[in-house]
Amino acid sequence: MKKFMNRSLTVSLSIGAIALAGALVGTVRAADISLPPDPGARDAATLVSFACSKCHGWNTNGVSISPIFPILAGQNEVYIGAQLRLLRQHGRADPHARAFMWGISNKLTDEQIDGLSKYFSSQPAVTGRPSSNPALAAKGKDIYENGVAEPKVVKCAQCHGEVGAGTNNVPRLQGQHPGYLALQLHYYHDKLRENKLMNRNVANITDDQIAAVVEYISTLTGDEPTDDSASVNEGK
Amino acid sequence: MGVVRLLRLGVAATVWILGGAVLMLASQPARAVPPFARQTGLACEACHTLPPELTPFGRRFKLNGYTLTTRPPLVNDIDDYKKNTLWLTDLPGIAVLAQIGYDHYDRAPPDTQNPYPAHAQSDTYQFPDQFSLVYAGAVSDKVGAWLQLTYNGEGGSVGVDNIDIRYSDHTYDNKFVWGVTANNYVTFQDVWNGFGSYTIPNFNTVTLYQVGVAGAGTTGPIINTFGPGIVAGLGGYVFYNDSLYFEFSEYHSSFATGSTPVADSSNLAANSGALDKFAPYVRLAYEKDWGYHSAQIGFNGMYVNWIPSNSYISAQQVLAANAAGNTYTPSQTFNPGAINRYTDLTVDWQYQYNGQHNIFGFMGHITHEKQQNSDQLVAATFTSPQGGPIYSNSTDNLTQFLVTAEYFRNRHFGGLVSFTRTTGTSDPLAYGGDGSPANQYETFELDYVPWLNVRFLLQYDAYQVLANNQNPFTMSNNSFPTSPQWPNVKASNNNTWVLGLWMDY
């Protein structure tokens, strides 16, 4: 019996040590972690820690690892808010929006959406990097800045800006995963993601053009020249 | 037939029965279940490539104790410190899992009562193969559970199946996630699910001759067999920096089958053997995610004191032994106090590509097992007053290698190829036949998933080598190999086609 107790004690201590180790390392205070799991009662930072971070950057910085999920760090606040409202009301209906965001945004309050928008937009933004395929990027630069004449593809820079920073309700493209951008362009082209302006702008875009333009966007860095004329897109 | 012969058969049968017990009751590990989707608002694909395999998100959902939810509580109460004292959703996380199978064997299984079967059939329906009720989801804001009750068509029994109850918490920045898990299936709690309880094939195939030759039915490391009704344990884990995982668990013998394994030695034996005292289990893993990719390498080790069921005498054996001039009683323990010691060490790895349209996975493990047999049971040092030795060697080694590659397109079409090879020390007394525990088989599977919770599969299991002298039928009647009705019995006789339907709701 004594032996058994000793072993049990060892086991208990081991488990206890693990729990203690967790408790000692910059942990969440009791008051924080005891928040009711009612989404309506959660502040934005808690929501990010509990939920959003599982896809959009595990350490709550809004920089996702998988291109399935967009990078939200530094994204425009108004745009994030508009998207969350759309997702909440199922107004954005592309496959990934349905699979991942319809349900999880369903119970968000307006206050939480505003808080999340502020939170992510204030995270340090990601910028581009040099292309490993300069020829493709050069082709993409032409499409991005000048569009395609025939069949017509509207130039991206017209709304998203020369360096892809976007404006309030036009999304920032700079630093975004190329894979995510490509998928969205396919969604817009196929009208799986509905937005009258974007559906029309990329109605004629080809797979090769998508590959080129996202390659170029992945190289964009810097700040936008101060010109707020690109607010025609309603951020859908 | 002599007592020694009986014992040899007993040992060989034990290997199968132990595996069979898990196969029949434990069925399969955790699956994707709709309650998780209802709770989180996320489609199955968030957590799974093809169930039960987890995506990086799915691993984190599990490590966080199944607690992520978007459902507000219907009933909630807090104490004076604003800490939850009750938190209930409006909908309990109940799911139904059903597996239905149609099996075609390369050769009809023999009639166990007659060496000249008149009605052997090679085609059978398993309807259902398995039917489970599951509670899955958050119990409170920090506790979640998977509780499964299963009817197994093969065993014809309803029993408590897989259980995993978790408490979990984390720092705000998720740098540290830690938790405690109570479960009844060693490795069931693992989030990389590439070894142990997560076998291939993962459809609950009814392999040839009841307890089967695939998965749990073949000779394998003992760690693969510690399922519901055999063990239960408690463990603590830490997941650091979204990449480094450490777990320490301990397991004890379980009461779940209705027997009382700690009560007396005969029940220990009747329970297909039992774990003695406690068995420590350690798990270390490292995961690196980048882009669409996720790679992991890990290690686990378990040390087990095991009271072998080969000390148990069945009623038939008693009759035979008595007929041979010895006197035994049913459930008598041949070698009281005999304990074998197992050390199982595993290296496992996994690579996943979780693309927007394509999913590719490559995973595998190598388990090495050192089995130190009780002196009382080994030929050279045999000390029991009754019977005869049941192991040729004082130490037996076993190595299992399993590798699986899988591909899925648009989450509708896919398949996998899996290769398993087991080799080990030749021990004629333990394994019978030529003494080799070796086996080698492949699983080929094609899947069609019209909806994420409905899956059709066509599977082919091909066997090249099996233990017991490559003869799957010796387990039922040792006279088959020489029977004119069953010439040239070989491992490939076990080859099986399976047409399966798998539904969750």
Side-chain angles (χ1 to χ4, degrees):
Chain A
M1 186 63 183
K2 194 181 173 188
K3 268 188 171 177
F4 174 78
M5 285 178 67
N6 285 341
R7 288 197 178 103
S8 298
L9 187 63
T10 308
V11 171
S12 304
L13 286 174
S14 304
I15 294 168
I18 290 172
L20 185 63
L24 288 175
V25 281
T27 107
V28 185
R29 296 186 311 278
D32 295 326
I33 59 176
S34 64
L35 286 170
D38 175 0
R42 288 177 179 173
D43 61 52
T46 309
L47 272 176
V48 173
S49 176
F50 273 79
C52 315
S53 61
K54 301 298 181 289
C55 296
H56 295 284
W58 65 270
N59 61 356
T60 69
N61 65 357
V63 181
S64 57
I65 293 175
S66 170
I68 299 261
F69 311 109
I71 291 171
L72 301 180
Q75 184 55 275
N76 300 321
E77 181 182 337
V78 175
Y79 176 74
I80 296 175
Q83 289 301 300
L84 282 173
R85 285 180 170 81
L86 267 179
L87 291 161
R88 181 179 63 178
Q89 69 196 47
H90 301 178
R92 178 177 159 182
D94 56 88
H96 282 179
R98 291 171 186 257
F100 302 120
M101 288 305 295
W102 273 20
I104 211 158
S105 64
N106 198 35
K107 303 289 184 186
L108 289 176
T109 64
D110 286 341
E111 292 72 22
Q112 286 174 324
I113 287 177
D114 293 343
L116 290 170
S117 307
K118 274 194 177 61
Y119 179 94
F120 283 116
S121 64
S122 63
Q123 297 298 310
V126 179
T127 58
R129 49 176 172 65
S131 172
S132 58
N133 189 343
L136 187 65
K139 185 182 168 192
K141 178 177 168 49
D142 185 41
I143 298 168
Y144 187 88
E145 294 183 346
N146 304 313
V148 179
E150 192 61 39
K152 187 171 178 60
V153 176
V154 175
K155 58 183 178 184
C156 314
Q158 181 171 317
C159 298
H160 294 280
E162 285 179 24
V163 297
T167 58
N168 279 342
N169 51 7
V170 177
R172 174 188 175 87
L173 306 181
Q174 187 185 122
Q176 189 57 268
H177 293 297
Y180 178 80
L181 293 176
L183 185 68
Q184 300 312 304
L185 285 170
H186 283 292
Y187 282 164
Y188 282 129
H189 175 267
D190 298 338
K191 295 186 179 174
L192 285 167
R193 181 173 174 178
E194 293 190 4
N195 172 283
K196 283 180 182 171
L197 195 60
M198 278 304 291
N199 293 150
R200 192 174 65 232
N201 288 347
V202 299
N204 300 316
I205 201 165
T206 65
D207 291 353
D208 289 344
Q209 289 167 345
I210 288 176
V213 80
V214 300
E215 181 66 22
Y216 174 67
I217 292 171
S218 73
T219 68
L220 293 173
T221 58
D223 295 326
E224 205 67 54
T226 50
D227 179 3
D228 199 23
S229 62
S231 57
V232 288
N233 194 322
E234 289 308 311
K236 189 167 181 178
Chain B
M1 189 178 285
V3 173
V4 174
R5 180 67 192 156
L6 279 171
L7 279 169
R8 286 179 189 174
L9 279 176
V11 173
T14 297
V15 175
W16 293 56
I17 290 167
L18 186 60
V22 175
L23 189 71
M24 283 187 277
L25 185 63
S27 65
Q28 299 299 311
R31 305 298 180 194
V33 281
F36 285 150
R38 294 189 185 104
Q39 173 181 308
T40 61
L42 298 164
C44 315
E45 66 201 77
C47 286
H48 293 279
T49 52
L50 199 74
E53 191 184 325
L54 296 168
T55 62
F57 175 86
R59 288 192 275 275
R60 281 140 190 85
F61 174 70
K62 189 170 176 178
L63 290 173
N64 280 278
Y66 311 117
T67 55
L68 176 63
T69 180
T70 59
R71 301 189 73 83
L74 180 69
V75 184
N76 189 205
D77 195 5
I78 58 173
D79 60 19
D80 293 346
Y81 304 97
K82 295 185 177 178
K83 203 170 176 64
N84 281 326
T85 55
L86 184 66
W87 182 85
L88 297 173
T89 64
D90 54 348
L91 190 69
I94 301 295
V96 171
L97 310 186
Q99 292 186 355
I100 295 167
Y102 173 80
D103 298 346
H104 171 79
Y105 305 113
D106 181 69
R107 188 169 190 171
D111 186 327
T112 57
Q113 303 302 314
N114 187 333
Y116 306 102
H119 301 290
Q121 296 186 54
S122 59
D123 297 82
T124 58
Y125 269 116
Q126 320 301 330
F127 199 94
D129 189 7
Q130 177 183 323
F131 187 88
S132 296
L133 290 175
V134 178
Y135 174 86
V139 174
S140 78
D141 51 341
K142 296 192 190 309
V143 178
W146 172 287
L147 307 168
Q148 185 175 359
L149 191 69
T150 294
Y151 168 78
N152 187 288
E154 181 186 351
S157 58
V158 178
V160 172
D161 206 341
N162 310 311
I163 292 177
D164 180 23
I165 302 168
R166 285 174 184 259
Y167 170 90
S168 174
D169 207 344
H170 59 97
T171 54
Y172 241 121
D173 60 2
N174 291 312
K175 199 92 170 169
F176 284 87
V177 178
W178 66 90
V180 175
T181 165
N183 62 76
N184 65 351
Y185 203 159
V186 181
T187 71
F188 176 67
Q189 75 275 29
D190 202 68
V191 295
W192 290 277
N193 43 46
F195 59 92
S197 61
Y198 296 91
T199 58
I200 299 287
N202 55 36
F203 186 78
N204 192 28
T205 308
V206 179
T207 49
L208 186 55
Y209 204 56
Q210 198 74 25
V211 294
V213 291
T218 44
T219 304
I222 198 166
I223 191 174
N224 292 5
T225 66
F226 287 147
I230 298 175
V231 298
L234 188 68
Y237 60 89
V238 175
F239 189 46
Y240 170 68
N241 213 27
D242 206 51
S243 56
L244 191 61
Y245 178 81
F246 173 75
E247 175 193 337
F248 177 81
S249 293
E250 63 83 28
Y251 286 86
H252 280 73
S253 193
S254 167
F255 281 80
T257 51
S259 64
T260 53
V262 296
D264 60 64
S265 58
S266 62
N267 274 334
L268 274 173
N271 197 26
S272 300
L275 197 152
D276 186 48
K277 300 188 174 67
F278 86 99
Y281 168 83
V282 175
R283 172 73 159 135
L284 191 63
Y286 178 79
E287 176 178 312
K288 171 72 178 171
D289 298 338
W290 73 101
Y292 296 111
H293 313 271
S294 177
Q296 171 261 344
I297 185 160
F299 160 84
N300 74 73
M302 189 171 192
Y303 180 75
V304 179
N305 290 308
W306 182 253
I307 305 170
S309 62
N310 48 36
S311 58
Y312 169 65
I313 311 174
S314 71
Q316 288 82 2
Q317 287 172 325
V318 168
L319 289 174
N322 288 340
N326 299 301
T327 304
Y328 302 111
T329 54
S331 300
Q332 179 180 352
T333 302
F334 246 137
N335 300 286
I339 291 175
N340 296 338
R341 293 177 170 79
Y342 293 78
T343 307
D344 283 20
L345 303 175
T346 300
V347 173
D348 67 301
W349 63 88
Q350 184 180 73
Y351 166 78
Q352 287 180 332
Y353 175 85
N354 291 301
Q356 289 162 344
H357 302 290
N358 300 301
I359 292 172
F360 175 74
F362 176 75
M363 67 210 73
H365 74 257
I366 299 175
T367 299
H368 179 75
E369 178 175 270
K370 182 180 179 184
Q371 176 183 344
Q372 295 168 282
N373 299 313
S374 167
D375 286 347
Q376 296 181 40
L377 307 175
V378 175
T381 52
F382 184 72
T383 58
S384 172
Q386 300 163 327
I390 48 183
Y391 294 101
S392 304
N393 312 315
S394 57
T395 301
D396 285 324
N397 292 293
L398 196 71
T399 302
Q400 184 179 72
F401 172 73
L402 187 152
V403 62
T404 303
E406 61 185 23
Y407 171 75
F408 289 97
R409 173 75 183 163
N410 280 337
R411 299 182 188 279
H412 278 313
F413 304 96
L416 65 80
V417 179
S418 177
F419 171 82
T420 303
R421 180 173 171 78
T422 307
T423 54
T425 312
S426 178
D427 191 323
L429 290 180
Y431 300 116
D434 64 359
S436 169
N439 57 73
Q440 178 177 310
Y441 55 93
E442 295 88 40
T443 295
F444 305 90
E445 184 177 306
L446 289 174
D447 294 87
Y448 170 55
V449 185
W451 300 277
L452 290 174
N453 61 340
V454 177
R455 170 178 170 189
F456 293 94
L457 59 89
L458 179 64
Q459 180 182 295
Y460 186 65
D461 304 319
Y463 302 87
Q464 287 83 52
V465 181
L466 286 171
N468 294 294
N469 211 13
Q470 303 191 4
N471 183 351
F473 300 146
T474 54
M475 301 315 301
S476 61
N477 188 322
N478 206 41
S479 65
F480 276 122
T482 56
S483 163
Q485 300 293 317
W486 292 94
N488 304 319
V489 175
K490 53 193 176 186
S492 63
N493 290 156
N494 291 276
N495 292 1
T496 309
W497 284 99
V498 181
L499 191 59
L501 170 62
W502 187 341
M503 296 183 297
D504 311 337
Y505 186 73

